[in-house]
Amino acid sequence: MAGERRRALLELLTRPGNTRCADCGAPDPDWASYTLGVFICLSCSGIHRNIPQVSKVKSVRLDAWDEAQVEFMASHGNEAARATFESKLPPFYYRPTFSDCQLLREQWVRAKYERQEFVHVEKQEPYSTGYREGLLWKRGRDNGQFLSRKFVLTEREGALKYFNKNDAKEPKAVMKIEHLNATFQPAKMGHPHGLQVTYLKDNSTRNIFIYHEDGKEIVDWFNALRAARFHYLQVAFPGASDADLVPKLSRNYLKEGYMEKTGPKQTEGFRKRWFTMDDRRLMYFKDPLDAFARGEVFIGSKESGYTVLEGLPLSTQGHHWPHGITIVTPDRKFLFTCETESDQREWIAAFQKVVDRPMLPQEYAVEAHFKHKP
């Protein structure tokens, strides 16, 4: 009998919707919540264990299952659960994947099953009303200390603002929603709830680093920012579908890490810098948590005369790391070195991806701005 039940469960895993984790989309889930009727991956099963009042989990292959539990799984499954627990999911709400940080995945599972935010629309108020204010810990630009600051997001004004004092009349900074991006950076910031927000100031990228001790609060802020971007883009591009706009709400960086670089004359020594590839902007910083980049390089498409080459010109000297990369632009060559071959491979792949993509009309304007930078 046990063998038959196991076979029945394994057969259920081949049905549409059940071949991927119900929560993060990882392939080949082999755990299940036998109270919710969903098949999930090992990683998400750990999150479900933290909400035992809602979800009880078992291994499909290793644990004993009784007849009623198998029948429950057969009559439910991932597609049925999605129809129930995600029936009122707003298009802007970030749906995490298996490559996202623990915080995003955990809050998604809790929002879906424990708080049932996508069944009851009124529970979406923290991120869907177009206005949000509260205190967040913000890293000081010069001393690196995190201090409590009041933040206000207002869609009406099209901005996220923060104030150095709670009763201050004037904000310390006004970040236009049009140019705003937010991405979770727990490893870089050394805090599991760390969020990096970037915006354009005088056409240069400015970083701020914030967190909240409560995981739900910072994820609500993140989704409120995405909602504000969504509503801004709906007005800016009236004919666009949700599917067109959603990928533009926030973006993770294509790649980050240390490389060495040399200057435009390629005669000075190579210096180690932290690099961030954000769409077509390659920025470099002295420290990963600097507020402003030391410099930015625009990387266009191959049609516009940009190429990525493995290695360095033969005459190059002064580098400590052995694995070189040359980026050829219409104006000059940029030389970089990586510590390991795998780093070099990953950077080349990231650059190649951008170079292979044709440029959009608005990207030509950005390129022109970079060319006229002093």
Side-chain angles (χ1 to χ4, degrees):
M1 281 301 286
E4 277 175 36
R5 289 197 289 269
R6 178 94 56 239
R7 275 194 295 281
L9 280 168
L10 293 173
E11 191 276 319
L12 290 177
L13 279 174
T14 65
R15 290 190 184 175
N18 295 345
T19 59
R20 290 186 169 272
C21 171
D23 297 327
C24 75
D28 307 319
D30 52 9
W31 285 74
S33 165
Y34 61 89
T35 52
L36 295 169
V38 290
F39 292 97
I40 52 179
C41 67
L42 173 63
S43 182
C44 288
S45 76
I47 299 171
H48 280 251
R49 273 208 182 84
N50 292 335
I51 46 170
Q53 68 283 13
V54 178
S55 183
K56 301 255 193 305
V57 296
K58 283 187 177 193
S59 163
V60 170
R61 296 168 198 279
L62 304 174
D63 289 326
W65 287 74
D66 65 37
E67 197 65 43
Q69 290 166 344
V70 175
E71 282 173 11
F72 184 79
M73 295 304 298
S75 63
H76 289 73
N78 293 3
E79 286 189 346
R82 179 176 281 199
T84 302
F85 293 106
E86 299 180 28
S87 61
K88 296 188 170 69
L89 180 70
F92 59 77
Y93 195 97
Y94 187 74
R95 176 198 290 279
T97 70
F98 50 91
S99 58
D100 278 304
C101 64
Q102 174 73 14
L103 170 73
L104 273 172
R105 290 184 297 112
E106 178 175 356
Q107 287 304 319
W108 164 241
V109 168
R110 287 183 179 275
K112 200 157 55 151
Y113 305 116
E114 184 181 40
R115 300 192 290 268
Q116 298 199 359
E117 288 177 20
F118 316 126
V119 177
H120 307 288
V121 177
E122 66 278 8
K123 294 189 176 180
Q124 298 172 15
E125 210 170 284
Y127 43 80
S128 63
T129 58
Y131 183 87
R132 186 179 168 91
E133 68 171 77
L135 297 175
L136 293 167
W137 292 99
K138 179 193 165 288
R139 188 178 192 271
R141 189 178 87 182
D142 301 317
N143 61 9
Q145 263 185 310
F146 280 88
L147 297 166
S148 180
R149 293 286 180 256
K150 178 180 155 186
F151 279 77
V152 175
L153 171 67
T154 157
E155 283 188 22
R156 198 167 48 82
E157 294 175 39
L160 173 68
K161 305 184 281 190
Y162 79 86
F163 300 80
N164 270 356
K165 294 192 174 65
N166 282 356
D167 55 358
K169 295 275 184 285
E170 292 302 312
K172 182 78 172 76
V174 177
M175 302 162 242
K176 287 286 178 204
I177 284 166
E178 179 185 358
H179 299 302
L180 199 77
N181 185 43
T183 176
F184 278 98
Q185 292 279 26
K188 185 161 96 174
M189 289 174 60
H191 193 286
H193 302 168
L195 188 67
Q196 178 174 353
V197 175
T198 59
Y199 63 102
L200 286 182
K201 187 176 179 183
D202 309 324
N203 227 329
S204 289
T205 305
R206 162 85 157 95
N207 295 320
I208 63 166
F209 299 95
I210 52 179
Y211 72 85
H212 194 290
E213 291 98 336
D214 183 318
K216 178 187 185 300
E217 287 290 316
I218 196 73
V219 172
D220 283 350
W221 270 104
F222 177 62
N223 281 302
L225 291 172
R226 283 177 57 90
R229 293 261 311 146
F230 184 62
H231 297 139
Y232 160 77
L233 290 168
Q234 280 181 316
V235 175
F237 303 100
S241 68
D242 290 358
D244 291 332
L245 299 181
V246 167
K248 297 181 169 68
L249 301 187
S250 63
R251 57 191 186 273
N252 295 328
Y253 300 132
L254 298 179
K255 171 112 180 95
E256 286 197 292
Y258 283 107
M259 290 193 289
E260 292 183 323
K261 67 167 286 292
T262 184
K265 297 191 180 65
Q266 294 157 16
T267 49
E268 55 263 61
F270 278 71
R271 291 201 173 92
K272 180 179 165 184
R273 293 287 180 258
W274 177 267
F275 284 83
T276 297
M277 185 77 205
D278 183 11
D279 202 32
R280 290 195 186 273
R281 286 175 186 252
L282 177 66
M283 298 170 275
Y284 53 92
F285 305 84
K286 198 166 182 187
D287 181 274
L289 299 181
D290 281 348
F292 289 100
R294 289 296 173 98
E296 303 191 38
V297 179
F298 180 86
I299 300 182
S301 65
K302 56 188 175 205
E303 292 83 0
S304 305
Y306 293 81
T307 45
V308 185
L309 306 170
E310 189 180 321
L312 301 171
L314 285 171
S315 57
T316 312
Q317 294 176 333
H319 52 286
H320 310 100
W321 286 350
H323 305 282
I325 301 173
T326 301
I327 293 183
V328 182
T329 77
D331 301 326
R332 59 168 277 203
K333 287 179 180 172
F334 290 90
L335 311 184
F336 309 105
T337 58
C338 303
E339 191 173 15
T340 67
E341 204 176 320
S342 68
D343 267 355
Q344 179 198 39
R345 272 200 308 272
E346 285 172 20
W347 276 112
I348 288 176
F351 294 146
Q352 199 61 54
K353 197 172 165 184
V354 172
V355 166
D356 287 344
R357 197 177 74 215
M359 268 165 62
L360 300 169
Q362 59 267 36
E363 291 176 329
Y364 285 100
V366 179
E367 180 188 41
H369 171 81
F370 269 81
K371 284 186 171 166
H372 298 121
K373 262 192 174 176

